């Protein structure tokens, strides 16, 4: 009996010893020097900002796939690439916008007086309703459409949301909510039966009432074709034709800018709608688009699990590898200036951090119980499109995906600070991150939940998957040409990658499945 007890203890001891040895060996493989080498390539001028789609993004994808192969990660369905089909939208040649008042028509000039959005195309003519901010927010007891019928009408709405600069605003203080986004306003107008939308810069907060709409290269000549919007091909659908109009239009409709300002001030002070039909006025508009199919790739690599009962369950480690591209060096006013948005921190940093975690797992002789899928997402900068494509077209059953860890912008600010995002979505993921961090030593910040919808983990949470997102914070170089490798802290990326490795190792080798909070499950 003593011999049997001794043998059992010995087996348990060596198993625990082997597990700890595997963790420490994996951590040792994560290297700031590897990070420096990989990020220097991914954020180089030669990759021209890794726009989705672009030949340079394809080169970056091949680089990542080659690293996966070197590290022993396996392809999925015979490939390291998940092909994503997009539709690229350009502004057509026939666009106009007119006001018809008392039988007389006034035309407005594209670019100066109005700019189309990239939501929907078509030719329409209809009566007009002013619908405040165009918001229906039941949780705030606010509805601009209360008591007004907009079916078959074109609605005029203000940009942003009530009390936008008031820290005490019910609309999440001074932080913008989803209700402030033009796409939400157009979708909400559609759901109320409108056939078109005109968005106005709000006069209380803008001295210059200039239309922005979408930044079309045909209108804003310093922009390259690479800045054109894209949509997922399988999701392609048109919203309503929509434009943003400026001061000349406001004067034509309201008589004076001060009239609109007074209306806006009243809405902000009372949080009561001031919507009304504008009598004896019609709007006519035509928005035309030219569309083409284009392609990019999510890059995937698999570590197969070793446990017969758990290997079909997937832990995902993700980072987007695209950025926003470049301006043509011959563009107006840009001669001699840096024109490439290298995206060293956003998000070559997260990508190389993910590669180090993949290397640590891939080169280990001891494989985790659960399988781990590493994904470099395309199209994040275009609206989280690559990750949305994956969760809607998963390579493994989505119900078998038990957790997702996201790395996005992890290479700047203090080496000891890290923002933990997604902690309010899963107590399990929060606890695991905090417990594993005891061995790493970051001082976590928990004030980033407002940024949760802005990165790829949001699409996984929408499918009911527990997530956590490591982020080192924004800085003065965010989405500027100055986001370059020379400003990256390679040691910080190494430190974040080690934390990510510990968290993923813990989840992949546990029999416990993390949970998403009930109130955070997708609607």
């Amino acid at each position: 009996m003593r011999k049997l007890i001794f043998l059992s203890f010995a087996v348990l001891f060596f198993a625990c010893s082997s597990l700890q040895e595997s963790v420490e060996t994996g951590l040792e493989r994560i290297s700031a020097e590897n990070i420096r080498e990989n990020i220097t390539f991914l954020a180089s001028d030669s990759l021209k900002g890794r726009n989705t789609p672009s030949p340079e993004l394809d080169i970056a994808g091949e680089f990542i796939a080659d690293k996966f192969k070197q590290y022993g990660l396996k392809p999925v369905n015979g490939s390291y690439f998940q092909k994503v089909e997009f539709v690229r939208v350009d502004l057509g040649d026939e666009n106009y916008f007119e006001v018809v008042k008392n039988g007389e028509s006034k035309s407005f000039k594209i670019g100066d007086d109005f700019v189309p959005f990239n939501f929907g195309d078509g030719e329409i003519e209809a009566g007009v309703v002013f619908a405040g901010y165009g918001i229906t927010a039941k949780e705030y007891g606010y509805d601009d459409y209360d008591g007004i019928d907009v079916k078959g009408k074109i609605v005029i709405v203000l940009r942003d949301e009530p009390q936008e600069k008031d820290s005490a605003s019910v609309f999440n203080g001074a932080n913008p909510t989803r209700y402030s986004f033009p796409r939400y306003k157009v979708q909400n107008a559609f759901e109320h039966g409108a056939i078109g939308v005109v968005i106005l810069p709000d006069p209380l907060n803008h001295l210059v009432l200039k239309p922005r709409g979408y930044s079309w290269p045909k209108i804003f000549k310093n922009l390259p074709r690479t800045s054109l919007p894209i949509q997922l091909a399988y999701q392609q659908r048109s919203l309503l034709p929509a434009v943003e109009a400026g001061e000349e239009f406001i004067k034509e409709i309201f008589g004076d800018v001060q009239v609109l300002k007074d209306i806006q001030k009243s809405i902000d002070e009372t949080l009561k709608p001031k919507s009304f039909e504008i009598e004896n006025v019609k709007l006519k508009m035509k928005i035309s688009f030219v569309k083409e199919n284009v392609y990019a790739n999510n890059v995937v690599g698999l570590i197969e699990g070793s446990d017969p009962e758990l290997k079909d369950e997937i832990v995902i480690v993700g980072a987007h590898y695209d950025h926003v591209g470049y301006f043509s060096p011959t563009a107006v006013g840009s001669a001699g200036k840096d024109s490439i948005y290298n995206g060293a921190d956003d998000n070559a940093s997260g990508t190389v951090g993910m590669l180090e975690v993949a290397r640590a797992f891939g080169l280990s002789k001891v494989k985790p119980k659960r399988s781990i899928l590493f994904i470099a997402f395309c199209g994040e900068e275009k609206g989280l499109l690559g990750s949305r494509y994956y969760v809607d077209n998963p390579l493994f059953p989505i119900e078998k995906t038990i957790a997702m860890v996201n790395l996005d912008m992890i290479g700047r600010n203090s080496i000891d600070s890290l923002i933990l995002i997604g902690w309010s979505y899963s107590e399990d993921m929060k606890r695991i991150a905090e417990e594993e961090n005891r061995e790493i030593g970051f001082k976590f910040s928990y004030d980033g939940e407002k940024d949760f919808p802005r990165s790829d983990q949001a699409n996984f949470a929408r499918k009911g998957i527990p997530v956590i997102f490591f982020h080192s914070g924004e800085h003065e170089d965010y989405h500027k040409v100055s986001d370059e490798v020379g400003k990256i802290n390679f040691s910080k990326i190494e430190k974040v990658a080690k934390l990510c490795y510990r968290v993923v190792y813990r989840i992949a080798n546990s029999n416990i499945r993390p949970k998403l909070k009930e109130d955070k499950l997708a609607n």
Side-chain angles (χ1 to χ4, degrees):
M1 177 64 84
R2 288 181 179 177
K3 186 175 182 181
L4 181 61
I5 293 172
F6 175 78
L7 288 173
S8 298
F9 177 78
V11 169
L12 180 63
F13 174 80
F14 285 116
C16 293
S17 176
S18 175
L19 186 65
Q20 186 61 31
E21 182 180 314
S22 177
V23 172
E24 297 305 325
T25 302
L27 289 170
E28 289 171 3
R29 291 193 181 97
I30 297 173
S31 157
E33 189 53 43
N34 289 335
I35 288 165
R36 179 195 299 270
E37 180 180 335
N38 290 338
I39 200 171
T40 297
F41 175 74
L42 287 174
S44 64
D45 283 356
S46 65
L47 292 193
K48 297 181 181 178
R50 308 183 308 281
N51 187 62
T52 302
S54 68
E56 292 77 23
L57 185 73
D58 294 342
I59 292 170
E62 292 281 357
F63 176 85
I64 295 165
D66 186 58
K67 292 295 180 182
F68 284 165
K69 186 175 182 180
Q70 287 180 35
Y71 302 157
L73 278 68
K74 294 183 178 181
V76 181
N77 299 329
S79 177
Y80 288 103
F81 301 104
Q82 183 187 38
K83 189 174 185 179
V84 183
E85 182 180 8
F86 300 99
V87 174
R88 180 157 53 200
V89 181
D90 198 356
L91 193 62
D93 295 327
E94 292 187 61
N95 297 277
Y96 66 79
F97 182 50
E98 299 177 6
V99 171
V100 181
K101 185 188 293 185
N102 298 319
E104 295 187 7
S105 179
K106 178 173 180 177
S107 298
F108 294 90
K109 186 177 180 181
I110 193 169
D112 294 334
D113 301 321
F114 79 98
V115 177
F117 286 98
N118 60 315
F119 302 138
D121 54 356
E123 187 171 16
I124 57 174
E125 177 179 352
V128 188
V129 172
F130 174 74
Y133 286 92
I135 292 173
T136 300
K138 293 180 180 179
E139 68 270 39
Y140 301 133
Y142 183 91
D143 187 1
D144 282 306
Y145 289 92
D146 185 28
I148 193 78
D149 183 6
V150 301
K151 290 184 177 67
K153 302 294 177 65
I154 298 172
V155 296
I156 299 174
V157 300
L158 293 163
R159 256 194 185 267
D160 304 315
E161 58 196 12
Q163 305 173 342
E164 66 172 286
K165 298 192 182 297
D166 185 353
S167 60
S169 170
V170 296
F171 284 85
N172 198 29
N175 298 312
T177 71
R178 66 187 179 94
Y179 298 114
S180 67
F181 301 151
R183 178 173 286 276
Y184 163 80
K185 295 173 185 286
V186 176
Q187 178 68 37
N188 196 36
F190 170 77
E191 291 173 359
H192 281 86
I195 65 169
V197 179
V198 179
I199 296 178
L200 305 178
D202 60 285
L204 281 181
N205 299 300
H206 296 87
L207 293 176
V208 179
L209 302 178
K210 184 81 175 170
R212 287 177 284 170
Y214 188 82
S215 300
W216 302 101
K218 285 186 177 179
I219 296 175
F220 304 98
K221 301 301 183 182
N222 63 325
L223 294 175
R225 184 172 170 78
T226 54
S227 67
L228 288 172
I230 59 175
Q231 304 170 0
L232 288 166
Y234 76 97
Q235 279 194 323
Q236 187 181 358
R237 62 187 178 94
S238 284
L239 287 174
L240 305 179
V243 303
E244 181 162 10
E247 185 170 355
E248 290 304 310
F249 175 79
I250 293 172
K251 290 177 178 177
E252 185 67 22
I253 294 296
F254 295 95
D256 189 88
V257 172
Q258 187 61 44
V259 174
L260 180 59
K261 187 180 289 188
D262 290 342
I263 294 171
Q264 183 187 3
K265 185 177 180 182
S266 176
I267 297 173
D268 281 17
E269 288 176 349
T270 66
L271 290 180
K272 301 293 184 183
K274 293 287 182 180
S275 304
F276 58 92
E277 186 168 356
I278 300 173
E279 298 181 353
N280 301 316
V281 172
K282 285 188 174 183
L283 295 184
K284 298 170 65 176
M285 70 170 79
K286 182 175 183 180
I287 309 301
S288 63
F289 294 150
V290 177
K291 301 177 181 180
E292 70 171 313
N293 287 59
V294 291
Y295 302 88
N297 292 301
N298 291 329
V299 190
V300 297
L302 179 69
I303 302 288
E304 281 191 327
S306 59
D307 188 288
E309 294 183 3
L310 294 177
K311 68 179 183 179
D312 289 338
E313 296 184 347
I314 307 293
V315 181
I316 289 179
V317 184
H320 75 90
Y321 72 110
D322 67 315
H323 195 50
V324 298
Y326 67 98
F327 288 107
S328 169
T330 60
V332 176
S334 65
K337 296 181 180 179
D338 186 357
S339 60
I340 297 173
Y341 288 75
N342 300 84
D345 192 33
D346 186 15
N347 182 38
S349 68
T351 303
V352 298
M354 179 198 65
L355 285 175
E356 287 303 286
V357 179
R359 184 172 184 269
F361 278 106
L363 297 181
S364 175
K365 294 180 181 178
V366 180
K367 299 305 178 187
K369 293 180 179 180
R370 290 183 169 114
S371 296
I372 305 172
L373 182 65
F374 292 85
I375 311 179
F377 298 109
C378 64
E380 191 269 358
E381 299 288 0
K382 306 291 188 179
L384 317 185
L385 298 184
S387 56
R388 176 174 284 271
Y389 184 88
Y390 181 85
V391 300
D392 289 344
N393 303 272
L395 297 173
F396 298 92
I398 204 71
E399 63 272 13
K400 291 289 189 179
T401 301
I402 69 157
M404 190 270 186
V405 180
N406 186 34
L407 303 175
D408 192 351
M409 295 178 61
I410 59 170
R412 296 286 296 270
N413 301 318
S414 167
I415 194 169
D416 295 322
S417 67
L418 193 65
I419 303 173
L420 193 67
I421 299 177
W423 59 268
S424 67
Y425 286 70
S426 172
E427 288 289 350
D428 294 331
M429 296 295 282
K430 176 176 181 282
R431 175 176 49 80
I432 291 169
E434 289 174 336
E435 290 175 358
E436 294 305 318
N437 184 52
R438 292 171 190 166
E439 301 297 324
I440 302 296
F442 279 115
K443 182 179 179 181
F444 280 158
S445 169
Y446 295 90
D447 61 356
E449 293 299 88
K450 66 183 183 299
D451 295 322
F452 185 87
R454 296 175 57 188
S455 196
D456 290 305
Q457 83 292 327
N459 280 323
F460 288 85
R462 182 171 58 83
K463 293 289 187 177
I465 298 167
V467 298
I468 207 73
F469 167 22
F470 295 127
H471 179 54
S472 63
E474 291 190 11
H475 42 75
E476 65 277 7
D477 302 306
Y478 174 67
H479 275 214
K480 295 180 181 177
V481 295
S482 51
D483 181 9
E484 296 183 322
V485 172
K487 297 180 180 181
I488 293 295
N489 187 330
F490 309 112
S491 296
K492 180 162 188 176
I493 298 176
E494 176 187 316
K495 192 172 178 180
V496 178
K498 286 181 175 179
L499 175 59
C500 179
Y501 174 81
R502 293 190 70 97
V503 168
V504 174
Y505 192 101
R506 169 97 167 261
I507 298 169
N509 285 289
S510 169
N511 293 326
I512 298 172
R513 185 167 179 161
K515 291 183 175 62
L516 194 72
K517 285 184 178 179
E518 288 291 330
D519 63 342
K520 298 294 185 179
L521 289 172
N523 295 325

